[in-house]
Amino acid sequence: MALRTRFAPSPTGYMHIGNLRTALYAYLVAKKDPNGVFILRIEDTDQGRLVEGATDIIYDTLKACGLNHDEGPDVGGDYGSYIQSERVKSGLYLKYAKELIKLGGAHYCFCDEEMINAQRELQEARGESFKYDDPCKNLSIEECEKRIANGEPYVIRQTIPETGTTSFDDEVFGKITVENETLDEQILIKSDGFPTYNFANVIDDHLMGITDVVRGMEYLSSSPKYNLIYNAFGWDIPRYIHCPPVMKDEHSKLSKRNGDASFQDLVKKGYLPEAILNYIALLGWSPSEDREIFTLDELVQAFDVKHIGTSGAIFDPEKLKWMNGVWLRNMDLDSYYALVKPYIDEAVKGDFDKKAIAKVVQQRADTLVDIPPMLDFFDTFPAYENDLYNNKKMKTNPEVALMALKECRTALENQTDWSEEALHETLLALPKKLEVKNGIILFPLRLAITGKQFTPGGAVEIAAILGKEETLRRLDSSITQLEA
């Protein structure tokens, strides 16, 4: 039987990083099997939390990351509908809930909040943790149906055995056993007729033939209750893969609510989807080989759930930035130029060779939004202080710089071939002629034609892009400033 996994997000806002990593791991598990199937299911039963447009964000994010689902609301499949609210309309969940009642795995509950709160207060007064003991469990199905016919509001709760234990195996955390008496009898069908996540996910996973369930470790404590439902129906239990959380620091999880970046935020900040995906794959999973840069296809080949850790992985923005820079520098120039041209156009309006600018920037920019601020000197030669020529490493100061710039001015005035190669030959000949290190000539020149201490390229590269007339004009201005 082919592996079948699912990504089942709720459309409640942006795609946060932990959610995207769950989708990635579910995709990798499925695609490890040549015939594996990756499913998208929209779990929208909590109608109060839905956000307009959030489903489109889910589609767009998966598409941007290359996590193409084989079945789902937008592509179809043999197990639809893949939207839970549409499955509710068919009466599917209520039908299975009623069947579960007959099997002894659930019961009708007519208790109101006042009765539940009274129990809570009593148990807390005894110093006990709250566990609702539903008196409705003792009602016969016939009595319950009479009450329902008379219009009494109700919910359907799971019935948990009062004794014994429930065990399950998890690929990450191993065998877990819990005492049944510690499990609360959760609501399966709410008073509005909608199922809770805890019931709908079990029914849908079974009906859709899900073989491997990948989800966050926050669902570990609920898995015994899910298994009791599976067992009551006599259904096969899927393989569980619970993943540790993605952490902001040692104490708190990443959360959009706390202002932490979502996938969409990171893309706006100039990160490549491929780099984001590469980075989050390593948050909690360790490859068997000593490497960090993976394409999606390479992740499929390398991924092994046995290498998922049990502790939370801390999201490191600096590590992501480094990895994004590696991805950018690994691109061929034509692809890179097509990607960054809008960012160069934003900063450079003058008639300069923008592909040459892209080549210079590619080796320095770690994110796309780093690019415009690097290039502001092309259109406007900024004012700067002569103190910038003081550089211990380069062994320069304003006096040394003035000498260097005059030598450069003389050498470049008669330069007819303004290609980067020719400029490199001319300017690198000066340190040899003057018997000084390269930096004593090239550092002042770069500052003199950009007005900036830090630039995306060296003096030779930038002079070649600026052109002869503009380079000499800026040189003359800087020489005059130093002489004054």
Side-chain angles (χ1 to χ4, degrees):
M1 184 177 181
L3 287 181
R4 290 176 61 86
T5 68
R6 47 66 165 180
F7 175 50
S10 297
T12 55
Y14 290 102
M15 179 79 77
H16 65 74
I17 293 303
N19 233 12
L20 181 57
R21 190 193 62 175
T22 299
L24 171 61
Y25 284 5
Y27 175 89
L28 296 176
V29 169
K31 297 307 173 181
K32 196 79 174 176
D33 178 352
N35 299 312
V37 178
F38 174 57
I39 297 167
L40 173 64
R41 186 173 73 221
I42 301 298
E43 300 200 337
D44 59 347
T45 57
D46 192 347
Q47 297 283 293
R49 295 180 60 230
L50 303 186
V51 174
E52 186 176 354
T55 300
D56 289 333
I57 289 174
I58 294 168
Y59 294 148
D60 294 344
T61 301
L62 295 180
K63 183 178 180 181
C65 294
L67 302 179
N68 301 317
H69 45 284
D70 304 294
E71 299 174 19
D74 54 336
V75 298
D78 296 333
Y79 298 86
S81 169
Y82 295 89
I83 299 177
Q84 282 188 338
S85 60
E86 293 182 1
R87 295 166 76 82
V88 170
K89 295 173 186 175
S90 69
L92 174 75
Y93 303 111
L94 186 57
K95 169 193 152 190
Y96 277 99
K98 288 181 176 180
E99 187 177 332
L100 188 60
I101 291 173
K102 293 177 182 177
L103 293 169
H107 61 273
Y108 293 106
C109 174
F110 300 90
C111 301
D112 56 24
E113 284 299 316
E114 187 176 338
M115 185 179 296
I116 296 171
N117 287 334
Q119 268 204 38
R120 180 183 286 108
E121 290 172 6
L122 182 61
Q123 290 181 23
E124 288 176 352
R126 295 174 184 158
E128 303 169 355
S129 58
F130 176 64
K131 181 175 183 291
Y132 183 55
D133 185 14
D134 190 354
C136 297
K137 284 190 292 186
N138 299 320
L139 296 174
S140 67
I141 294 177
E142 292 76 15
E143 174 63 25
C144 291
E145 289 175 347
K146 284 181 185 177
R147 291 193 180 194
I148 294 170
N150 289 332
E152 284 194 45
Y154 72 94
V155 298
I156 296 178
R157 288 184 181 274
Q158 184 173 7
T159 302
I160 303 288
E162 295 179 359
T163 60
T165 61
T166 300
S167 300
F168 70 97
D169 293 309
D170 182 77
E171 293 297 314
V172 178
F173 291 89
K175 186 167 187 175
I176 295 176
T177 301
V178 298
E179 299 288 336
N180 289 335
E181 64 180 5
T182 65
L183 301 175
D184 66 298
E185 297 191 321
Q186 60 193 353
I187 293 175
L188 305 181
I189 301 290
K190 296 178 285 187
S191 57
D192 61 3
F194 273 76
T196 60
Y197 166 82
N198 292 313
F199 186 56
N201 90 87
V202 173
I203 301 303
D204 288 341
D205 284 348
H206 170 72
L207 294 179
M208 293 181 180
I210 302 303
T211 61
D212 296 66
V213 171
V214 182
R215 60 186 170 217
M217 67 175 287
E218 63 268 25
Y219 293 105
L220 269 174
S221 60
S222 298
S223 295
K225 292 181 281 190
Y226 302 154
N227 282 9
L228 287 170
I229 297 174
Y230 279 109
N231 290 336
F233 281 117
W235 294 342
D236 290 337
I237 295 173
R239 184 172 72 137
Y240 289 134
I241 302 162
H242 287 90
C243 307
V246 179
M247 307 292 289
K248 181 175 185 174
D249 51 43
E250 291 182 359
H251 307 289
S252 54
K253 292 198 298 183
L254 274 185
S255 168
K256 179 69 176 175
R257 201 175 307 164
N258 297 331
D260 297 320
S262 67
F263 172 79
Q264 286 72 24
D265 293 329
L266 292 174
V267 171
K268 286 178 183 176
K269 290 178 180 179
Y271 292 90
L272 300 178
E274 299 90 341
I276 298 171
L277 210 64
N278 185 169
Y279 178 66
I280 65 173
L282 302 175
L283 290 176
W285 170 74
S286 300
S288 57
E289 52 186 318
D290 185 19
R291 61 183 288 201
E292 293 183 294
I293 306 302
F294 290 89
T295 65
L296 183 56
D297 287 342
E298 289 169 341
L299 282 172
V300 170
Q301 298 303 315
F303 191 72
D304 183 346
V305 297
K306 297 298 184 184
H307 292 177
I308 297 176
T310 56
S311 57
I314 296 177
F315 183 88
D316 182 353
E318 290 304 311
K319 183 64 176 287
L320 171 60
K321 191 171 186 177
W322 167 82
M323 186 170 287
N324 197 70
V326 173
W327 271 85
L328 289 172
R329 284 185 278 282
N330 284 346
M331 295 177 72
D332 65 84
L333 181 57
D334 287 341
S335 300
Y336 182 79
Y337 178 52
L339 176 68
V340 304
K341 189 176 183 300
Y343 296 88
I344 297 174
D345 289 343
E346 176 187 332
V348 182
K349 309 299 182 186
D351 185 20
F352 298 107
D353 184 344
K354 292 185 177 179
K355 192 167 187 179
I357 293 175
K359 183 179 179 181
V360 167
V361 165
Q362 186 173 14
Q363 300 309 312
R364 278 84 175 181
D366 286 329
T367 72
L368 298 176
V369 297
D370 289 344
I371 294 172
M374 290 181 172
L375 306 177
D376 56 357
F377 65 88
F378 276 102
D379 285 346
T380 304
F381 184 42
Y384 67 94
E385 297 295 328
N386 288 344
D387 287 347
L388 292 180
Y389 288 107
N390 290 310
N391 188 301
K392 288 184 178 179
K393 183 179 178 182
M394 297 298 177
K395 298 181 179 177
T396 61
N397 57 37
E399 292 76 18
V400 170
L402 181 57
M403 175 277 297
L405 297 185
K406 286 182 176 180
E407 290 287 344
C408 289
R409 179 66 173 79
T410 300
L412 293 175
E413 185 175 11
N414 299 319
Q415 184 81 14
T416 55
D417 182 351
W418 205 261
S419 66
E420 186 178 324
E421 294 77 13
L423 288 173
H424 184 273
E425 184 178 341
T426 297
L427 291 171
L428 268 293
L430 289 178
K432 292 180 182 177
K433 169 189 164 186
L434 300 172
E435 298 182 341
V436 296
K437 292 192 177 294
N438 292 350
I440 287 180
I441 300 297
L442 297 180
F443 172 73
L445 176 60
R446 181 171 60 83
L447 177 56
I449 62 176
T450 65
K452 296 172 75 82
Q453 188 172 16
F454 302 105
T455 58
V460 174
E461 298 166 299
I462 293 171
I465 296 169
L466 286 173
K468 182 174 183 178
E469 181 180 346
E470 182 63 13
T471 298
L472 293 180
R473 185 186 74 80
R474 294 185 180 196
L475 253 180
D476 288 341
S477 174
S478 293
I479 289 171
T480 299
Q481 179 174 315
L482 280 170
E483 287 178 331

